[in-house]
Amino acid sequence: MSDDDAVEVKPAPSAKPAMSRFLRTAGPDSASSSETETESESDDDEDEQELPKKAGSRFLKGDSDEDESDEDVKRIVKSARDKRLEEMEATGKTMDNALKINDWTAIQNEFDKLTRMVQRQQNMSEPVPSFFIRTLASLEASVNDALIREKESKKKMNALNARALTAMKQKVKKMTKEYEQDIRSFQQDPEAFEREYAVAVAPEVVAPSRQKKSSAKLADEDEDDEDEFTTVGKGGKGVQYTPEGIFKHLQQIQEARGKKNTDRADQIRTLEKLLAVAITPYQRIRVLLALISSRFDYNASLSSFMPPELWSAAQRETDQLIEILALDAAYAVEELTEDYDELIERTPEDEKTGIVRIRGSIISFIDRLDDEFTRSLQNIDPHGTEYVERLKDEKGLYCTICRAQALCELRKQVDPLARVIMRRIEHIYSKPDAVLNVLEMAATAFDFKPSVTLQSASSSAVLMHTLCVHLYQSGNILLRTRAMLSHIYHHALHNDFYTARDMLLMSHLQETIHSADVATQIVYNRAVVQLGLCAFRCGLIKEAQSTLHDIFATQRVKELLAQGVHQQKFYTLTPEQEKAEKQRQLPFHMHINTELLEAAFLVSSMLVEIPVLASMDSEEQKRKAISKPFRRLLDFADRQVFTGPPESTRDHIMQASKALQSGQWEQCRDLIQDIKIWSLMPEAASVKDMLAKRIQEEGLRTYLFTFSPHYRSLSLSLLSSTFSLPPRSVSSIVSRMIWNEELSASLDQSSGVVVFHRVDLSRSQQLAQTLADRINVMVEANEKVLDVRLGGGASWGDRAEGGKGDKRGEQAQERRGGRGERRGAGTRGARAARGARFAQGLGSQMARTR
Amino acid sequence: MAAALAASLPTPQNAPAPQAPVHDAIPASMSKLIDIEADIPVQVVQLDAMVVSKIIQHSSTSHHSNIHGLLLGLDLDGILEVSNSFPLPHNTADEDDKSTKNLGRYQASMLRSLKEVRADDSLVGFYQATTMGAFFTQSLVDIQTVHQDKLRHGGIVVVHDVTQTKRGNASFRAFRLSKQFMVAQKRSGFSTQSLISNRLTFSTILEEVPIKIRTNPLLSAFLDNLTRPTPSAFPDAPSASAYTSSFPPSYSHLALGNATLSKNIENLLEALDAYKTEENNLAYHSRQIAREKTRAEQYIAKRKEENAQRVAQGLVPLPEEDIKRLFKIPPEPSRLESMLLLGQVDAYSKALESSSGTALVKMYGVKADAGTEL
């Protein structure tokens, strides 16, 4: 029984011997020495420094160890302890030597080493060796001596040495403060202190030896599939992994968590072992919870990502955890629970409610898993095979998310359910149906699945709809917004332009999105861009142009879509900003191809802008551009002296624009269809056909605008043959232009010609028009200023409503005569109220000045 | 240019008659009328017919854009009598030292010559010819400001509108700077706040002084004679030519005045453009100011916080440094230029309104006439 007692009492110190033991045996063995390397690599720097050194020193005296036999257990354990002491003493000796030659740099190094060792010792909750206290005391004296000597002596120490000395002074001071009590007792009676220490250490020497004996027995019983290293490692403490001891280990690990010198890899290994011996569901849940969190803890730095192996292990374990919870309804993992004793085994029978509630959060594991996955994708080169390999893990992740969703549904946890559904949506909203099918197939292959699946929903749209509707009904505004945007994106991806547009407009997101967080803004930008692409695919050129224009006008497309960090000219980002920016980047597989996007935007701009450009007759009007980015490119292309054959997408579009301007629609069509990037667009062929048709129509319009001054009349049949359009569509286009007052002409049906009526504006008419435009602009600017002045960002709609608007309208009528009447007379919409308010504002100002 | 003018002007002390009569020599009946200290404010400006015709002649023959000259005369019992004037040479747009110097020399020699022939040589103001009533310019205000200090009664400016004259009604208006403007200029410049407190708009920069044209009685009689129709020498003449006049009836009144219309609109557009540019400048300046101000405020807040912390820790608070030294908050930009531009816009629009208004009436008249004939 005393054996067991010893085991129970001394688990912590035993961790240390195990470590050094492992190293010692690892030394001679070449196979496991490679293991050492991998281990030490991932360890803290501190360990890295120390491990080789220890191994080395072991080596020096280790020749004799090699022929140590296993039965000589006692001696080994002792030597493990002694070894450390010996090492410390060796360091002390070196320090003494250095002291003699006044080499403070060396002393500093050695002292650092020593303190580290002692720190370790303390972590193992072993008493501080008396040797250390002794050294510290003597060191303090010699440092003081040296300082005094330094002051007196004429000759200066060299700079390095002097710096080391001052550093030492500080360190010693700090240390003395830490061990103040020990030092005092040592100084009072060195003998007694030594004795005390010896007493404190004595029982331990016995304990490990007993452990060893029993562990050897256990190691024999163990299966032989584990290599030497694990066996030995286990041999040091294998006996401790009993179901009863689990909670104690867990607590120790929990306490060590986050501390500086804890070996995370070791913890994970311990927990893995614990999992293997855990029997009851309660134990397993507890161990799994601890294990998963410690896996996530494994690398602390924010910039790097979790190693894939660790990640998949964590994912597997999360699966396990969910499985356990799903199978046994008597256990629940909740974020808020009543306090319970962590060291006691709990069973459903003991609980009042019949359910064992355990503190923890599955949803945070899912969040973390997903985040880590994204981060790893951000960090892996997207053009390598590694990325593809990593991407394959998404299937597993998706399954885990689905299962978590099912669990949340089962347990009716509202908030986590919403979050997990959001995660699920994020994984599927930008995926084409084929990929979604694969994901869903994998997810539904298990019998434990969420209520909504692709099979039950029959199509991806319905699936998205059901998932999103759930979030719309949830209270979380952020999630609701994101779900809405993802839903819009999904609609747009499936060419359902009108639904997507209506959803976007009805959500009124564009008014509030500026105050949203960056991630939501990114999702918003993505949704808008996808909507634009969708309009383009559907042949709604104008819509595509206006939708995409906003984002292209900023010239920071990549940044806004989180697909690259923008290089600013006048302004460099701080490292923190850059880091934050990097973390926001989307993984490559979710990118929207910006070149394709640009091609779509420029082509739609071309189709909108070129006819408008042709219809303008004064230079002044020409300055107003619908699409500034396009106009800039066009101007640039115009200035080019020599144009070679087109290479880039832009070249293609610019040359096509020129061809369109001169009425050569065939050339234009060929140039546009030659653009290679179209191949990335789904339904490329139909898009190309659509573009050809648009080019014919817009070509006709441009031709009419450009060349109509040179004709008195034009026959429709000629137009139809020139642009190879059916006569019907030619006449419909011409009629539309006449109706829209773009073309002053009339159709002569009987002879099938367009007759042009020339109207030339006189100079004063032109001027009057310009004046009217100018004044309009000023009035609008004035209104804006007035709005700001009058306070409140209330929109026009708000102001137009209510009795005030009516009153204003009347006032306006009185003041402004004809104009006011005309405006006020109609249905009093926002426009009338707007004019009226302006009039009132001006009037009151006038009154004030008088 | 204003500076040059100022330099060339005689100082007010020695300007009015150097050999001024001794006070007791003034008869009692006149003592009320002669005020050496310029106490009696100017009520009316009286232009001699010669001055009127000289100004009209100068502005109709000259082809420069900036037509201006100096007025000479004397004030008597609240009436400023302008008895003579002479044109100033057109100065080139680039105001280099040479041209301004030349101008000053010209002015001085002109005054000297006038004095030598014993003509009036005391400056009372200047005249400025404009088109379409838009006389609000920076230079006009500048010159007038200079005159305000140097001349008796602050001087006046007579504005002559060439466009109106071409249409047959000679337009002369006399102005001087208003009190509000003077206050604003002396005290606080032309920031928004000062404009508001002084109730200053473009229409209150200048105040108009009524104008009177004095003609020789003989000349009046002659003019009266000229306009009166005289019966024809032939007793059996047809009724249409029964009376002849030296001014035969002309049809120039029926002209629609289209020629100036586009010019007018162009000018208006120009003024609007200039206004917009000025407005942008203002906006830029105010943004700059706002930015600087927030920076300064942030700094102050930070310092205060720091001090509070230090006080809590028992340390001596840091001194409140002079914010003005650390942050150069630019002064608020002057709104004068934009105000003057607004005045121009206003004048152009009024001219446009009046000319097009009469033209419209004429066109309706023609239409009505055509209607009755058909």
Side-chain angles (χ1 to χ4, degrees):
Chain A
M1 220 42 236
S2 65
D3 271 20
D4 270 344
D5 277 349
V7 169
E8 295 285 344
V9 173
K10 291 285 164 205
S14 61
K16 186 65 203 171
M19 184 76 190
S20 47
R21 265 192 61 80
F22 145 61
L23 279 165
R24 192 174 58 80
T25 33
D29 192 312
S30 67
S32 44
S33 76
S34 65
E35 294 247 27
T36 328
E37 269 164 34
T38 49
E39 284 300 324
S40 59
E41 254 170 30
S42 48
D43 265 343
D44 279 355
D45 338 34
E46 230 169 86
D47 294 338
E48 262 174 61
Q49 285 179 359
E50 206 153 340
L51 282 171
K53 189 200 63 140
K54 276 192 175 176
S57 66
R58 271 317 294 171
F59 240 159
L60 284 176
K61 78 166 244 189
D63 279 350
S64 61
D65 284 352
E66 214 148 332
D67 48 18
E68 261 174 8
S69 53
D70 241 10
E71 56 265 58
D72 194 7
V73 184
K74 194 155 183 167
R75 203 174 108 50
I76 293 168
V77 177
K78 261 191 174 175
S79 93
R81 270 208 81 79
D82 292 349
K83 181 188 74 101
R84 260 179 301 120
L85 278 179
E86 258 165 46
E87 235 173 277
M88 281 188 202
E89 265 154 34
T91 340
K93 209 159 269 166
T94 338
M95 260 157 81
D96 282 342
N97 289 340
L99 207 58
K100 274 176 201 148
I101 55 163
N102 217 8
D103 182 2
W104 287 98
T105 337
I107 295 176
Q108 194 187 2
N109 285 341
E110 291 300 312
F111 185 71
D112 282 351
K113 226 185 274 174
L114 190 62
T115 12
R116 256 204 309 273
M117 279 190 248
V118 171
Q119 210 118 49
R120 286 221 142 190
Q121 190 104 345
Q122 275 192 311
N123 280 359
M124 305 293 130
S125 72
E126 274 179 40
V128 181
S130 62
F131 164 73
F132 177 67
I133 302 295
R134 205 164 54 222
T135 320
L136 203 59
S138 70
L139 205 55
E140 195 184 0
S142 42
V143 166
N144 287 338
D145 273 2
L147 276 172
I148 293 163
R149 243 184 298 140
E150 164 71 7
K151 255 181 211 158
E152 285 166 356
S153 70
K154 300 260 159 36
K155 215 171 72 185
K156 280 242 158 137
M157 263 189 232
N158 70 12
L160 261 177
N161 219 357
R163 207 177 303 146
L165 176 58
T166 24
M168 267 310 289
K169 193 183 126 197
Q170 241 117 48
K171 273 181 195 162
V172 168
K173 204 187 253 172
K174 194 175 141 213
M175 276 298 165
T176 3
K177 206 173 256 175
E178 223 166 285
Y179 300 104
E180 213 174 355
Q181 224 172 347
D182 288 341
I183 291 177
R184 211 176 299 137
S185 59
F186 168 74
Q187 275 163 346
Q188 274 164 5
D189 189 358
E191 300 279 305
F193 187 77
E194 295 267 325
R195 253 200 319 279
E196 217 171 276
Y197 173 69
V199 171
V201 172
E204 272 172 73
V205 184
V206 191
S209 68
R210 289 194 186 159
Q211 276 173 30
K212 186 61 205 169
K213 269 179 198 156
S214 45
S215 71
K217 213 164 39 184
L218 198 112
D220 288 344
E221 286 161 15
D222 244 318
E223 304 95 334
D224 262 347
D225 58 339
E226 287 166 316
D227 58 17
E228 195 197 345
F229 138 64
T230 26
T231 322
V232 174
K234 216 175 169 178
K237 51 182 176 170
V239 78
Q240 293 144 20
Y241 300 130
T242 56
E244 302 85 56
I246 282 181
F247 299 124
K248 265 200 185 139
H249 284 287
L250 277 179
Q251 200 174 23
Q252 275 158 23
I253 285 167
Q254 221 116 49
E255 275 160 14
R257 202 177 158 192
K259 282 197 185 137
K260 218 178 174 188
N261 287 318
T262 31
D263 181 352
R264 300 203 191 86
D266 195 44
Q267 275 196 346
I268 291 175
R269 267 197 305 279
T270 317
L271 281 167
E272 274 171 352
K273 307 258 166 54
L274 284 176
L275 183 61
V277 292
I279 304 162
T280 61
Y282 178 69
Q283 283 173 346
R284 294 188 64 193
I285 292 169
R286 284 287 305 278
V287 175
L288 276 171
L289 283 172
L291 179 55
I292 297 168
S293 1
S294 60
R295 280 205 202 277
F296 286 135
D297 275 350
Y298 183 72
N299 57 342
S301 77
L302 275 171
S303 52
S304 60
F305 57 95
M306 229 167 133
E309 310 83 51
L310 267 182
W311 184 87
S312 15
Q315 188 237 328
R316 265 197 316 276
E317 279 144 14
T318 317
D319 270 353
Q320 255 179 36
L321 182 61
I322 293 171
E323 206 174 329
I324 295 170
L325 289 172
L327 286 175
D328 201 340
Y331 294 93
V333 174
E334 285 168 11
E335 279 168 44
L336 296 170
T337 56
E338 287 169 23
D339 280 344
Y340 53 84
D341 188 355
E342 303 215 324
L343 291 176
I344 305 175
E345 166 78 33
R346 295 157 81 213
T347 50
E349 292 82 46
D350 298 344
E351 299 291 322
K352 276 174 273 178
T353 48
I355 294 174
V356 181
R357 294 178 198 281
I358 304 161
R359 199 172 299 124
S361 166
I362 291 180
I363 179 66
S364 67
F365 288 151
I366 298 285
D367 279 352
R368 192 66 204 271
L369 265 181
D370 199 10
D371 289 344
E372 286 291 346
F373 182 68
T374 318
R375 196 180 293 161
S376 70
L377 286 177
Q378 280 169 355
N379 279 290
I380 297 172
D381 171 28
H383 303 291
T385 47
E386 197 190 349
Y387 191 87
V388 180
E389 287 301 317
R390 192 79 184 100
L391 209 51
K392 283 180 186 160
D393 289 337
E394 191 177 16
K395 207 199 270 180
L397 178 61
Y398 186 71
C399 295
T400 310
I401 291 174
C402 284
R403 260 176 258 164
Q405 188 196 342
L407 182 69
C408 289
E409 280 168 356
L410 196 69
R411 294 289 161 91
K412 301 203 168 43
Q413 291 165 311
V414 180
D415 183 51
L417 180 58
R419 274 162 74 187
V420 86
I421 289 181
M422 192 62 233
R423 290 279 168 186
R424 190 170 169 198
I425 289 175
E426 271 168 17
H427 275 280
I428 57 175
Y429 80 96
S430 62
K431 302 267 192 299
D433 278 350
V435 182
L436 182 59
N437 273 334
V438 175
L439 284 179
E440 278 290 330
M441 288 290 274
T444 48
F446 302 91
D447 38 349
F448 186 56
K449 53 193 173 192
S451 58
V452 190
T453 58
L454 190 59
Q455 283 160 351
S456 69
S458 76
S459 81
S460 65
V462 180
L463 174 69
M464 267 308 270
H465 183 77
T466 346
L467 289 176
C468 288
V469 161
H470 185 274
L471 288 183
Y472 298 154
Q473 285 162 351
S474 80
N476 193 327
I477 296 171
L478 178 73
L479 291 186
R480 214 189 293 163
T481 314
R482 295 248 180 115
M484 173 76 87
L485 290 171
S486 315
H487 202 174
I488 292 167
Y489 188 98
H490 192 258
H491 274 308
L493 196 65
H494 288 80
N495 287 345
D496 196 351
F497 175 74
Y498 291 105
T499 322
R501 185 199 59 185
D502 291 348
M503 278 180 70
L504 186 65
L505 292 181
M506 281 189 335
S507 65
H508 290 285
L509 272 176
Q510 56 271 54
E511 289 154 22
T512 54
I513 194 71
H514 300 286
S515 51
D517 61 317
V518 180
T520 312
Q521 287 191 16
I522 290 169
V523 184
Y524 175 79
N525 290 339
R526 278 170 64 80
V528 169
V529 162
Q530 191 58 248
L531 190 65
L533 276 179
C534 165
F536 186 75
R537 284 194 297 264
C538 298
L540 303 160
I541 296 298
K542 253 188 198 152
E543 283 83 350
Q545 199 271 336
S546 58
T547 317
L548 291 177
H549 178 250
D550 279 345
I551 207 156
F552 271 92
T554 61
Q555 295 190 303
R556 298 189 306 178
V557 185
K558 279 201 171 159
E559 193 188 356
L560 289 175
L561 292 176
Q563 299 184 356
V565 183
H566 181 69
Q567 296 296 325
Q568 264 146 334
K569 256 185 210 161
F570 306 108
Y571 172 91
T572 45
L573 292 168
T574 59
E576 295 91 60
Q577 278 174 314
E578 207 171 296
K579 217 181 209 175
E581 192 84 357
K582 281 229 173 92
Q583 275 172 21
R584 279 202 287 272
Q585 299 303 310
L586 287 175
F588 183 74
H589 69 281
M590 287 174 77
H591 284 195
I592 300 170
N593 190 316
T594 41
E595 202 186 339
L596 179 64
L597 202 60
E598 193 183 22
F601 171 66
L602 287 178
V603 169
S604 47
S605 292
M606 174 187 88
L607 289 175
V608 173
E609 185 96 26
I610 294 291
V612 174
L613 203 60
S615 74
M616 308 250 184
D617 30 30
S618 73
E619 273 301 312
E620 200 137 340
Q621 279 173 312
K622 272 186 188 167
R623 256 182 261 146
K624 283 184 292 181
I626 295 175
S627 154
K628 283 236 173 68
F630 174 75
R631 193 61 84 75
R632 212 167 25 235
L633 282 177
L634 192 63
D635 286 345
F636 183 73
D638 273 341
R639 278 202 299 275
Q640 219 74 12
V641 181
F642 171 74
T643 43
E647 281 171 5
S648 68
T649 311
R650 282 186 188 182
D651 287 350
H652 273 281
I653 296 172
M654 285 309 119
Q655 294 198 8
S657 308
K658 280 193 179 164
L660 191 64
Q661 268 178 326
S662 52
Q664 294 160 319
W665 68 273
E666 274 160 322
Q667 197 188 338
C668 174
R669 181 198 59 195
D670 293 344
L671 278 165
I672 292 291
Q673 290 191 340
D674 274 351
I675 297 175
K676 293 191 179 63
I677 199 81
W678 293 139
S679 57
L680 289 181
M681 189 170 263
E683 308 130 45
S686 70
V687 167
K688 275 186 189 172
D689 286 347
M690 178 275 292
L691 282 178
K693 199 157 157 278
R694 297 282 150 183
I695 287 169
Q696 282 174 338
E697 288 170 11
E698 297 304 331
L700 172 61
R701 273 160 56 82
T702 316
Y703 181 81
L704 283 176
F705 280 132
T706 320
F707 300 106
S708 67
H710 308 294
Y711 291 100
R712 288 195 81 104
S713 62
L714 256 172
S715 98
L716 287 175
S717 59
L718 176 76
L719 285 177
S720 107
S721 66
T722 318
F723 289 93
S724 56
L725 281 166
R728 281 181 70 87
S729 61
V730 169
S731 72
S732 90
I733 289 171
V734 172
S735 316
R736 207 185 310 139
M737 286 170 76
I738 293 171
W739 174 249
N740 289 339
E741 296 183 346
E742 291 170 329
L743 198 65
S744 54
S746 54
L747 267 179
D748 188 340
Q749 296 280 7
S750 57
S751 46
V753 291
V754 200
V755 185
F756 295 106
H757 311 292
R758 296 285 301 283
V759 187
D760 279 332
L761 289 182
S762 73
R763 173 86 183 131
S764 42
Q765 277 169 326
Q766 261 179 25
L767 283 170
Q769 268 187 350
T770 339
L771 184 63
D773 284 352
R774 193 69 51 84
I775 285 168
N776 248 338
V777 171
M778 282 186 87
V779 165
E780 245 154 53
N782 220 350
E783 278 174 12
K784 257 186 212 162
V785 172
L786 196 65
D787 235 24
V788 175
R789 230 343 114 73
L790 291 181
S795 60
W796 292 112
D798 297 345
R799 292 175 175 251
E801 284 158 15
K804 261 195 167 174
D806 283 336
K807 209 171 133 200
R808 281 184 187 139
E810 280 158 32
Q811 284 173 339
Q813 277 185 13
E814 287 160 26
R815 259 197 210 96
R816 309 175 97 207
R819 202 169 165 207
E821 226 169 88
R822 187 164 56 79
R823 282 194 166 184
T827 51
R828 194 164 277 133
R831 226 181 126 73
R834 195 170 160 179
R837 211 163 44 72
F838 169 59
Q840 199 212 15
L842 193 69
S844 60
Q845 262 182 351
M846 300 265 269
R848 240 181 285 142
T849 54
R850 263 177 207 143
Chain B
M1 191 183 80
L5 276 177
S8 67
L9 284 175
T11 44
Q13 279 84 359
N14 52 18
Q19 61 275 53
V22 202
H23 279 245
D24 54 5
I26 299 171
S29 61
M30 292 295 280
S31 65
K32 215 177 74 192
L33 303 180
I34 294 175
D35 58 332
I36 293 167
E37 301 300 319
D39 289 330
I40 305 169
V42 173
Q43 306 283 351
V44 179
V45 174
Q46 179 183 294
L47 290 182
D48 253 21
M50 180 182 68
V51 176
V52 170
S53 32
K54 267 177 113 170
I55 292 175
I56 293 179
Q57 205 244 348
H58 177 206
S59 41
S60 56
T61 51
S62 176
H63 296 289
H64 301 300
S65 56
N66 189 10
I67 303 160
H68 64 300
L70 291 175
L71 301 174
L72 305 167
L74 206 63
D75 65 303
L76 185 71
D77 195 17
I79 299 171
L80 185 68
E81 295 179 356
V82 181
S83 56
N84 203 352
S85 74
F86 63 89
L88 284 177
H90 168 77
N91 58 330
T92 44
D94 50 318
E95 291 193 18
D96 50 356
D97 274 351
K98 212 172 167 189
S99 72
T100 47
K101 232 177 236 168
N102 281 343
L103 195 67
R105 209 177 298 139
Y106 173 82
Q107 193 179 323
S109 71
M110 204 51 199
L111 284 173
R112 204 168 45 241
S113 315
L114 281 170
K115 198 165 148 191
E116 276 167 15
V117 298
R118 302 217 153 215
D120 283 334
D121 69 332
S122 85
L123 273 181
V124 292
F126 72 105
Y127 68 85
Q128 174 87 45
T130 65
T131 51
M132 289 170 268
F135 55 86
F136 282 106
T137 56
Q138 187 81 44
S139 70
L140 181 133
V141 174
D142 281 349
I143 297 173
Q144 187 60 19
T145 320
V146 171
H147 283 186
Q148 195 77 36
D149 296 335
K150 302 261 175 177
L151 299 186
R152 255 169 86 85
H153 295 294
I156 50 143
V157 52
V158 169
V159 175
H160 168 59
D161 193 337
V162 183
T163 327
Q164 286 283 338
T165 313
K166 269 187 195 152
R167 250 184 246 147
N169 30 5
S171 142
F172 285 91
R173 298 170 84 187
F175 293 98
R176 64 179 167 214
L177 291 177
S178 68
K179 294 218 170 51
Q180 295 109 293
F181 180 81
M182 307 286 291
V183 170
Q185 191 183 37
K186 279 213 181 86
R187 290 231 185 102
S188 40
F190 300 100
S191 62
T192 317
Q193 199 51 47
S194 117
L195 291 190
I196 292 171
S197 65
N198 288 311
R199 304 176 148 263
L200 213 55
T201 65
F202 58 85
S203 54
T204 54
I205 290 180
L206 297 173
E207 58 183 7
E208 192 162 1
V209 186
I211 221 166
K212 208 166 81 180
I213 294 176
R214 189 184 72 91
T215 46
N216 207 324
L218 260 179
L219 185 64
S220 316
F222 174 65
L223 283 177
D224 196 39
N225 227 12
L226 269 184
T227 44
R228 178 168 301 168
T230 50
S232 172
F234 307 101
D236 55 342
S239 63
S241 56
Y243 292 94
T244 54
S245 162
S246 309
F247 289 133
S250 79
Y251 298 100
S252 64
H253 288 296
L254 291 182
L256 286 176
N258 266 344
T260 57
L261 185 64
S262 52
K263 186 78 190 153
N264 199 338
I265 299 178
E266 267 169 36
N267 284 345
L268 182 54
L269 281 176
E270 254 169 46
L272 279 178
D273 278 346
Y275 180 68
K276 197 158 185 204
T277 323
E278 189 62 30
E279 208 61 337
N280 285 343
N281 282 347
L282 275 180
Y284 172 76
H285 275 293
S286 36
R287 271 202 302 275
Q288 201 91 338
I289 290 170
R291 203 179 306 141
E292 283 296 318
K293 270 191 182 155
T294 43
R295 270 179 57 197
E297 270 161 25
Q298 270 170 4
Y299 177 80
I300 292 172
K302 203 177 147 201
R303 177 49 64 85
K304 267 189 186 153
E305 205 175 292
E306 224 170 279
N307 273 347
Q309 230 170 39
R310 286 178 72 97
V311 168
Q313 284 171 0
L315 294 168
V316 187
L318 296 171
E320 300 275 338
E321 279 163 59
D322 193 11
I323 297 303
K324 279 186 189 124
R325 217 152 31 83
L326 281 173
F327 297 96
K328 282 219 170 63
I329 296 178
E332 205 176 326
S334 161
R335 301 288 301 269
L336 183 62
E337 180 69 35
S338 61
M339 203 160 66
L340 291 174
L341 282 169
L342 270 185
Q344 279 189 30
V345 171
D346 182 63
Y348 282 131
S349 337
K350 276 192 180 137
L352 189 62
E353 189 192 6
S354 73
S355 72
S356 54
T358 48
L360 267 182
V361 170
K362 284 169 198 166
M363 277 164 78
Y364 274 119
V366 171
K367 199 175 172 189
D369 198 37
T372 50
E373 272 184 19
L374 282 173

